[in-house]
Amino acid sequence: MDSFAEPRKPIDNSISLADVRAQVHKLEEDLRDKNIPVSGRIIQVCHYLPVTCAFARRPRPEEIPSPPATPPAKAADIPPSPTEPQPGDSSLPAPKDAALDKARPQWSLAVRYGHSAMVSGIDSLATTHEQIVIGWTGDIQASSPAEPPVASAVTSDPSGLPTSKVATSSLTDEDKKELESMLEEYRSRDEPENGKKIHYVPVWLDDKDAHGHYDGYCKQTLWPLFHYLLWQDVATEYASADAHWAPYAAVNAAFARRVAEVYRPGDLIWIHDYHLLLVPSLLRQALPDAAVGLFVHTPFPSSEVFRCLPRRKEILDGMLGANLICFQTYSYSRHFTSSCVRVCGYEVTSRGGIDVQGHVTAIGYCPVGVDADRVAKDTLRPGIQPKLDALRALYEGKKIIVGRDKLDVVKGVVQKLRAFEKLLQDYPQWIGNVVLIQVTSPALTDSPKLERQVSELVAHINGEYGSLDFIPVHHYHQTIKKDEFYALLSVADLGVITPLRDGMNTTSMEFVISQERTKKSPLILSEFMGISSTMTEALQINPWNMSEVAAAMHRGLTMSEEEKLRRHQQLYKTVTTHTSQTWAAMLAKKLLERLGSQNMARQTPFIPKGQLEQHYLKAKKRLFLFDYDGTLAPIVKVPSAAVPSKETLEALETLTADPKNVVYIISGRDGEFLEQHLGHIKNLGMSAEHGGFIREPGESTWRNFTESLDMSWMSEVLEIFKYYTERTTGSHIEVKKSSITWHYRSADPEWGLFQCHQCQDLLENNLARKRPIEVLVGKKNLEVRPLAVNKGEIVKRILYFNPDAEFIFCAGDDKTDEDMFRALLLFPQGTTSPTATARLDPPLSVTLLASSKEDADKFGPVDLAITPDAVFTTAVGHSSKRTLASWHVTTPEEVVEHMLHLVRVAGEQAPSSSSL
């Protein structure tokens, strides 16, 4: 995603839920027509299940105390009654209470509040899709005092759980299965009546890991960082950003295992929020063909803030296991892309995706909304109107400003109060005529310092500007009931929501819907909110600028009815169009589009070691064709540091020692580098500068393919490259004999990429049209070379002079190596018959080195001995990498490992063959 050139796309307000669902249905039908599996199921992976669980164990039979023994009866003259039960009579029925207790369920379920937008969006998808919601049970409450749970009996329990919680370790497998059965029958009140089934699947976590994950790494490290606070700003002075990494990784692994257990081919997987950022990568390893999406509900910070995180690479690599990552806004997606480029050095594709070893992750954004229909119904609750009338009577003759926030440092309550004080200072006419009703609900983690600061500021403003009959600020630190909440939003003359940093804020949307039936009052929003980009008709401010906020308050309070109505209508249209239901359907649509793209439709299989070994052993002559950088040696920042490992040298030396093998290194490096590091290996053939030069096995001289070509273009390209080098700090030019390359690996990654695109455009649209050259974009470089020279031509030459080869192994990792794979497409697509034959015409790389036209004419077509199943073209990188190769391995080390395996197998077979 080129941040220098790509503008933010405007949000489409004409979208409708019916249209999106129709598009989803069509995409699924198209995929089925292409034989791509589509199950019709969506797996939603959330930190919590939308259900709370309480547990009270049934007493086990062995735990029920036995009654005291009946004393022996004294002998009596009167015989016993035949109707009275006799001692020892085993036919007595069990007490009724015991039978009932055996049938009583141990678990009770209730709705979990919070994340209402996400949950309502997921519920709405049940109209069209079967769903599986996977999440942690949360702390399990003890629901009955009759039997104290195990955890509550020990105050020093290592999990640190409160005494009212049940330790997960105390639950038996039968207890867990009972809850899973109850969850299978559970239905949310918001599920569509005639919708498809939603299955709720719990993830069982160790209590210590669960709290180290959430209360530790999530809340003390990631959440502050994503809201532009560093961990030392919100924790103790001894805070460590790495202290809770182990439980974070363990919990993510547990979630990934649970998903893998329920996954079926064709399922769509959506992972939600920053609690589970490692799950995509873990799923990519376990389920390579799965369609995985990740939606980040929080803001994503600038790369300069994100790079402070010690585990920055692990987090980014974890996220990049997804096929698609979505954020709330374009700016968050841009920050993420920038972090991938700057922190990890990954490439950005032409469509804005992130390329990690050939696996391309698409990046997008899709704002979340609220369930507008449900909110509209809630505003009609009968209990609201009396409270609304009471508020109007209480504040009669005064304008009412309303704010409702969590008492959290990033919610900007302190800044809002100071801005209100500034309003009373700068516009004294409002003293006695306006009140601020600020409700602060308790945050997940208490902050006594912030609570004290807010209380002191409220007291200061009321003392400075209040009087016996006027209190300017009414602060309520409590969780208010739904009727009170909607009455407050409805009565307001101005809504003020000014967090310092926030992702989605439902209060702002609920305010707009509440105002539809009352005053159509304006809304002030912080520009640092994820939703501010869609709610453009709100008065947007910088919450740090007190004068600006005070002026916006004054403007909102004095706004004309016409302007209020115009702004409200636009905001209402946005809020009722971009709902939680539309958001959820859009996510399904985006992931289906990704599933249908070429990148995911063809997964390159991992090279089959057994098949490779079989063809290697039976072949009388074998060809090995290797790229160097990224294939035999890993890509490094300093090119000169890419030296071959001991294992690589061992594999090449052993392969070349076998007279049946013809081994070539076909690299973009110059001959001098190849000679320096590999020249000592006897019988190793080498091709340098992407096919510009060749040194045959056993020879010491290089042959130049460009001698007969017009190379005068190099001076013109050099001048262009010099121009961009002067303007791109950290870039440099590499001039070879047959090509010229501009490198920008050490430049600022985004600026370097932008300059690369500009330079490429100049070369392709001007020079390449007049000269016999081609322009290649490589990994952090731009190369220009003659049209007639490439790796594919060298492969054809080697094959032409070795037509009796019965086994070919060719490995490469980048775009220039696709020329080699293309040259080895010797048979029509789909040909698998072992009797199929191929013929090769004399390639340009053969005729170019002929001393005369007569010599060139001597070369004719040759018949090849190779069969389709004995050609092993192998791409190094992810299985989703777009390539012409038939197989893949993940890393250069795996290429070397496969070669060493072949020579060992051949070595083991040789003694047994000679003994026969």
Side-chain angles (χ1 to χ4, degrees), residues 1 20 45 68 141 148 157 168 171 182 187 194 229 238 433 488 512 520 568 570 616 698 703 730 740 747 802 912:
M1 188 171 292
V20 178
V45 190
Q141 306 289 328
D157 184 80
T168 308
L171 300 174
M182 285 187 71
R187 281 187 70 89
N194 300 316
L229 299 168
Y238 304 108
N433 294 311
L488 201 58
V512 172
K520 314 286 192 294
H568 173 80
Q570 189 60 42
Y616 177 83
R703 305 181 73 181
I740 182 166
N802 296 277
S912 60

Side-chain angles (χ1 to χ4, degrees), residues 511-550:
F511 177 87
V512 172
I513 296 171
S514 299
Q515 286 289 324
E516 173 67 9
R517 296 177 57 250
T518 54
K519 301 179 178 179
K520 314 286 192 294
S521 297
L523 177 65
I524 294 177
L525 289 185
S526 164
E527 64 188 52
F528 300 122
M529 298 167 66
I531 59 166
S532 59
S533 59
T534 58
M535 301 183 71
T536 53
E537 289 301 315
L539 299 172
Q540 298 196 9
I541 50 85
N542 174 359
W544 295 99
N545 187 337
M546 307 306 162
S547 298
E548 183 186 359
V549 182

Side-chain angles (χ1 to χ4, degrees), residues 70-89:
T70 305
K74 292 180 181 179
D77 296 329
I78 303 170
S81 167
T83 60
E84 290 181 1
Q86 300 304 307
D89 188 348

Side-chain angles (χ1 to χ4, degrees), residues 208-286:
K208 193 171 182 180
D209 280 347
H211 286 271
H213 164 264
Y214 182 66
D215 300 325
Y217 202 76
C218 289
K219 284 300 173 189
Q220 294 180 27
T221 300
L222 289 181
W223 189 91
L225 183 80
F226 284 9
H227 290 80
Y228 287 78
L229 299 168
L230 296 184
W231 33 94
Q232 67 265 23
D233 298 330
V234 292
T236 67
E237 57 186 298
Y238 304 108
S240 165
D242 231 12
H244 300 284
W245 172 255
Y248 185 81
V251 166
N252 274 256
F255 270 83
R257 287 193 296 271
R258 196 63 161 141
V259 174
E261 287 169 10
V262 302
Y263 174 79
R264 292 182 200 160
D267 287 352
L268 302 181
I269 303 172
W270 268 107
I271 299 160
H272 293 273
D273 225 359
Y274 65 99
H275 314 88
L276 305 172
L277 297 181
L278 304 182
V279 174
S281 176
L282 296 169
L283 286 180
R284 183 62 50 219
Q285 297 166 34

Side-chain angles (χ1 to χ4, degrees), residues 378-556:
D378 284 345
T379 61
L380 301 175
R381 290 160 62 101
I384 294 175
Q385 192 61 42
K387 292 179 174 59
L388 183 63
D389 294 338
L391 285 168
R392 281 175 176 158
L394 184 62
Y395 299 108
E396 188 177 0
K398 295 179 178 64
K399 294 282 189 179
I400 302 172
I401 300 176
V402 167
R404 187 255 198 171
D405 309 271
K406 281 184 181 175
L407 191 59
D408 205 315
V409 65
V410 300
K411 297 301 182 181
V413 176
V414 170
Q415 287 75 12
K416 186 192 300 185
L417 289 169
R418 286 178 178 154
F420 181 71
E421 182 182 13
K422 185 71 172 168
L423 171 74
L424 300 180
Q425 281 178 0
D426 293 355
Y427 306 92
Q429 66 267 33
W430 287 116
I431 298 174
N433 294 311
V434 66
V435 294
L436 169 63
I437 304 176
Q438 176 63 51
V439 178
T440 53
S441 54
L444 293 175
T445 53
D446 291 332
S447 175
K449 180 180 175 183
L450 180 61
E451 192 173 337
R452 186 173 62 252
Q453 188 180 8
V454 169
S455 298
E456 289 173 355
L457 191 50
V458 169
H460 162 72
I461 295 170
N462 288 339
E464 188 73 24
Y465 299 97
S467 60
L468 289 175
D469 60 348
F470 172 64
I471 300 174
V473 180
H474 298 255
H475 176 227
Y476 304 96
H477 182 51
Q478 61 191 64
T479 302
I480 61 175
K481 295 177 182 176
K482 189 173 279 191
D483 288 354
E484 295 170 330
F485 172 62
Y486 284 117
L488 201 58
L489 295 186
S490 301
V491 80
D493 294 288
L494 180 65
V496 181
I497 303 168
T498 55
L500 309 180
R501 192 70 60 171
D502 207 356
M504 181 203 174
N505 185 293
T506 57
T507 304
S508 57
M509 300 183 183
E510 290 164 328
F511 177 87
V512 172
I513 296 171
S514 299
Q515 286 289 324
E516 173 67 9
R517 296 177 57 250
T518 54
K519 301 179 178 179
K520 314 286 192 294
S521 297
L523 177 65
I524 294 177
L525 289 185
S526 164
E527 64 188 52
F528 300 122
M529 298 167 66
I531 59 166
S532 59
S533 59
T534 58
M535 301 183 71
T536 53
E537 289 301 315
L539 299 172
Q540 298 196 9
I541 50 85
N542 174 359
W544 295 99
N545 187 337
M546 307 306 162
S547 298
E548 183 186 359
V549 182
M553 288 179 177
H554 176 69
R555 182 184 173 189

Side-chain angles (χ1 to χ4, degrees), residues 893-905:
E893 290 76 15
E894 289 176 353
V895 176
V896 176
E897 178 195 326
H898 277 75
M899 295 309 99
L900 288 171
H901 172 74
L902 290 180
V903 295
R904 284 173 192 145
V905 168

Side-chain angles (χ1 to χ4, degrees), residues 704-711 847-849:
N704 185 354
F705 287 100
T706 63
E707 282 177 341
S708 58
L709 299 177
D710 175 14
M711 302 296 288
T847 56
L848 269 178
L849 290 185

